[in-house]
Amino acid sequence: MNQLDIHTITATLEGLEETIIFKLIDRAQFKANPLIYEAGKSDFEGTEGKESLFDLRLQYQERMDAQFGRFCVPEERPFCTNLPAPRRRVTIPPTGLRITDYNRVNLTAEIKKMYCIVLPTLCISGDDGQYGSSVEHDVYALQALSRRIHYGALYVAECKYQSNPGSYRTLIKEKDMDKLLPLLTREQVEEKILARVQKKVEQAQAGINTDVRRIVDPECILSIYREYIIPITKKGEILYLLHREREHDT
Amino acid sequence: MNQLDIHTITATLEGLEETIIFKLIDRAQFKANPLIYEAGKSDFEGTEGKESLFDLRLQYQERMDAQFGRFCVPEERPFCTNLPAPRRRVTIPPTGLRITDYNRVNLTAEIKKMYCIVLPTLCISGDDGQYGSSVEHDVYALQALSRRIHYGALYVAECKYQSNPGSYRTLIKEKDMDKLLPLLTREQVEEKILARVQKKVEQAQAGINTDVRRIVDPECILSIYREYIIPITKKGEILYLLHREREHDT
């Protein structure tokens, strides 16, 4: 059985920070464009016209991605259902995870909801007509957020379990969420992530000409991490632990 | 007739620099993975299996984008042919351009060729198995490069024409490329772009933990600008001028 390495896992999580930051900054170059999130305002013909442009873009993107095998990867959980099968053979190396159905830990509904809440804080309000570009960048940002959250939920939880199987085993058996949450919370690590993200957002925008590009307030991305990414990841860790398969226990 | 504003145009071009830089840096987090550019190595089933994974991803992406109306925008020129029609009504405000068929200025073949040349300088050589992610980021980087090059080719050329219609009219009539190229070359502007890009690449990576993410040598992205983006844009400007429609002349 593959032993997970906490250093590799936290390094991967840290490396995903730039991707999230870059994609949120790119989305913020367009206005909020509230119309693209409204059902029936996509300007698509036929039955698809009933949905929002945002939902349609997400569906089209995931139908494409599914055919390329994206959702064979544990941390890539789909936002949509009824996706086509992969059209290529995808070989995933042993993950070290103790869960067969990765969709037991699928937090996409919550991620999408949080994204729609934070969007008005990320973008300037109003409508610039750039609907196609806005939903394109929405989907890339959503996917980056989702990848980070699911990666943390799955791999960090398994690592924490392995570091202290006795305590986790008892709390999982009792489904004691009130005690699981503090056991897997590392406040010092969270503080470190937040400090690092703030610095990265500042540095990524240090050279920007404000006549040309909009600067995103680091506090905005910081609060997305603080209020959503970290708590949803921990919720995912609990989900993982509750569905962790005992038969494979070391 | 819409009068183009050179300040808005150069500001837009400058604003696209971060997007290109972010996307190239994101691609560089994966190894070169030469297999994904080889025909017949996509692992796709059926007739599609004859193509490379890179080409397939580009086709799937553009088929999706076409349905969302991407290629109604002048600076969004497709790499592929036989794309589906848009499934939504796309309204493009007056562009100020004097060309009806934007595909007269389609430099995608050249952009794709250059991308495949520079890729081994951008990425670490070798194979990390991350084929799906690599082609995904390839396509995003290609699209960002293409958008910048076509935007410059179309709008900057029209602006330059408007600033000196007499000289351009004569050279266009004589199809005198040898004189058109120096007339539209602004060496000082090019130097300024290069200095700015170098600084941006450095700053975008200033906070990066090198245990976690790969730093891209600014010279690599700089040389993409110097050797390819700027010259291909100028080639596109010439193409635009040669196909510029006289009947709309002011």
Side-chain angles (χ1 to χ4, degrees):
Chain A
M1 194 50 61
N2 193 1
Q3 202 67 15
L4 293 175
D5 170 29
I6 188 67
H7 299 293
T8 311
I9 288 165
T10 53
T12 303
L13 282 177
E14 190 179 331
L16 292 173
E17 287 163 4
E18 275 81 5
T19 306
I20 291 176
I21 292 167
F22 290 172
K23 288 188 200 295
L24 290 174
I25 292 174
D26 268 350
R27 171 60 182 95
Q29 302 311 310
F30 304 97
K31 289 196 177 173
N33 293 322
L35 217 64
I36 60 184
Y37 309 98
E38 271 185 51
K41 296 284 171 69
S42 70
D43 269 343
F44 264 59
E45 299 151 6
T47 52
E48 286 183 325
K50 289 181 194 158
E51 309 209 34
S52 71
L53 191 65
F54 172 64
D55 280 331
L56 284 170
R57 180 78 191 190
L58 192 54
Q59 286 167 28
Y60 274 69
Q61 176 78 36
E62 291 207 325
R63 283 207 288 270
M64 171 175 71
D65 286 339
Q67 294 178 75
F68 282 78
R70 182 185 198 106
F71 306 115
C72 302
V73 177
E75 66 269 28
E76 297 287 6
R77 292 301 91 223
F79 287 80
C80 307
T81 50
N82 298 319
L83 294 171
R87 293 181 58 73
R88 51 188 282 258
R89 287 181 298 275
V90 180
T91 321
I92 305 290
T95 62
L97 297 173
R98 314 288 170 92
I99 191 166
T100 318
D101 178 5
Y102 302 129
N103 275 329
R104 292 280 191 170
V105 186
N106 185 331
L107 301 144
T108 53
E110 206 153 332
I111 295 168
K112 196 175 151 192
K113 199 173 139 194
M114 112 15 200
Y115 185 78
C116 292
I117 293 170
V118 302
L119 194 89
T121 68
L122 183 72
C123 299
I124 290 181
S125 64
D127 187 312
D128 57 17
Q130 303 273 342
Y131 301 158
S133 296
S134 299
V135 290
E136 182 188 331
H137 287 88
D138 279 335
V139 169
Y140 300 156
L142 264 186
Q143 289 187 324
L145 290 163
S146 175
R147 187 185 179 94
R148 191 275 178 212
I149 289 170
H150 288 104
Y151 188 91
L154 297 166
Y155 290 97
V156 174
E158 179 58 30
C159 263
K160 287 180 183 165
Y161 180 98
Q162 285 179 13
S163 71
N164 188 1
S167 305
Y168 278 105
R169 207 172 285 148
T170 314
L171 296 178
I172 291 168
K173 204 185 273 171
E174 295 165 0
K175 291 193 172 40
D176 192 337
M177 321 282 230
D178 290 346
K179 284 188 186 156
L180 267 175
L181 187 64
L183 186 60
L184 51 77
T185 295
R186 304 267 185 279
E187 267 175 34
Q188 261 189 316
V189 175
E190 292 176 14
E191 290 304 322
K192 219 172 121 184
I193 293 172
L194 292 173
R196 197 171 58 214
V197 167
Q198 167 145 23
K199 211 173 153 194
K200 283 183 184 179
V201 179
E202 283 165 5
Q203 279 165 328
Q205 301 183 109
I208 280 178
N209 176 352
T210 49
D211 293 342
V212 172
R213 272 178 83 94
R214 218 190 119 228
I215 298 266
V216 174
D217 181 358
E219 176 51 33
C220 172
I221 295 179
L222 206 58
S223 76
I224 296 175
Y225 258 87
R226 192 194 299 115
E227 311 296 334
Y228 298 103
I229 297 178
I230 293 173
I232 299 175
T233 302
K234 287 199 284 189
K235 196 173 164 180
E237 290 177 47
I238 293 178
L239 267 178
Y240 173 82
L241 292 170
L242 294 179
H243 292 102
R244 190 178 183 278
E245 284 156 13
R246 291 293 310 277
E247 64 263 40
H248 297 298
D249 251 15
T250 41
Chain B
M1 193 50 64
N2 194 359
Q3 203 66 16
L4 293 174
D5 170 29
I6 187 69
H7 298 293
T8 312
I9 289 165
T10 52
T12 303
L13 281 177
E14 191 178 331
L16 292 172
E17 286 163 5
E18 275 82 4
T19 305
I20 290 177
I21 293 167
F22 290 172
K23 288 186 198 299
L24 290 173
I25 292 174
D26 268 351
R27 171 61 181 93
Q29 303 310 310
F30 305 96
K31 288 197 178 172
N33 293 322
L35 216 65
I36 60 182
Y37 308 99
E38 270 185 51
K41 296 282 171 71
S42 71
D43 269 341
F44 263 60
E45 299 151 6
T47 52
E48 286 183 325
K50 289 180 191 156
E51 310 209 33
S52 71
L53 191 65
F54 172 64
D55 280 331
L56 284 171
R57 180 77 190 188
L58 192 54
Q59 285 166 29
Y60 274 68
Q61 176 79 35
E62 290 207 327
R63 282 207 288 270
M64 171 175 71
D65 286 339
Q67 295 178 76
F68 281 78
R70 183 185 198 107
F71 306 115
C72 303
V73 177
E75 65 269 27
E76 297 288 5
R77 293 302 89 223
F79 286 81
C80 308
T81 50
N82 299 320
L83 293 171
R87 293 182 57 76
R88 53 188 281 258
R89 286 180 300 274
V90 181
T91 320
I92 304 291
T95 62
L97 298 172
R98 313 288 171 92
I99 193 166
T100 318
D101 179 5
Y102 303 129
N103 274 329
R104 293 280 190 169
V105 186
N106 186 330
L107 301 143
T108 52
E110 207 153 330
I111 295 167
K112 196 176 151 191
K113 199 173 138 194
M114 97 54 174
Y115 186 77
C116 291
I117 293 171
V118 302
L119 194 89
T121 67
L122 182 72
C123 298
I124 291 181
S125 64
D127 186 312
D128 59 17
Q130 302 273 342
Y131 301 157
S133 295
S134 298
V135 290
E136 182 189 331
H137 287 88
D138 278 335
V139 169
Y140 299 157
L142 264 186
Q143 289 187 324
L145 291 162
S146 175
R147 187 183 180 96
R148 191 276 180 211
I149 289 171
H150 288 104
Y151 189 91
L154 297 167
Y155 289 97
V156 175
E158 179 58 31
C159 262
K160 288 180 182 164
Y161 181 97
Q162 285 180 15
S163 72
N164 189 1
S167 306
Y168 278 106
R169 207 173 284 148
T170 314
L171 296 178
I172 290 168
K173 204 185 273 170
E174 294 165 357
K175 291 193 170 51
D176 193 336
M177 323 280 231
D178 289 345
K179 284 186 185 153
L180 268 175
L181 188 62
L183 186 62
L184 52 76
T185 296
R186 303 266 185 278
E187 268 176 32
Q188 263 189 317
V189 175
E190 291 175 14
E191 290 305 322
K192 220 172 118 183
I193 292 172
L194 292 173
R196 197 170 59 214
V197 167
Q198 167 144 23
K199 212 171 153 195
K200 283 183 184 179
V201 180
E202 284 165 4
Q203 279 165 330
Q205 301 183 109
I208 281 178
N209 176 352
T210 50
D211 293 342
V212 172
R213 273 179 82 95
R214 220 191 116 226
I215 298 267
V216 174
D217 182 357
E219 177 51 34
C220 171
I221 295 179
L222 205 58
S223 76
I224 296 175
Y225 259 87
R226 193 194 299 114
E227 312 296 334
Y228 298 102
I229 297 177
I230 293 174
I232 300 175
T233 303
K234 288 200 282 188
K235 196 174 165 181
E237 290 179 47
I238 293 178
L239 266 179
Y240 173 82
L241 292 170
L242 294 179
H243 292 103
R244 189 178 184 278
E245 284 156 13
R246 292 293 310 279
E247 63 263 41
H248 297 298
D249 252 16
T250 42

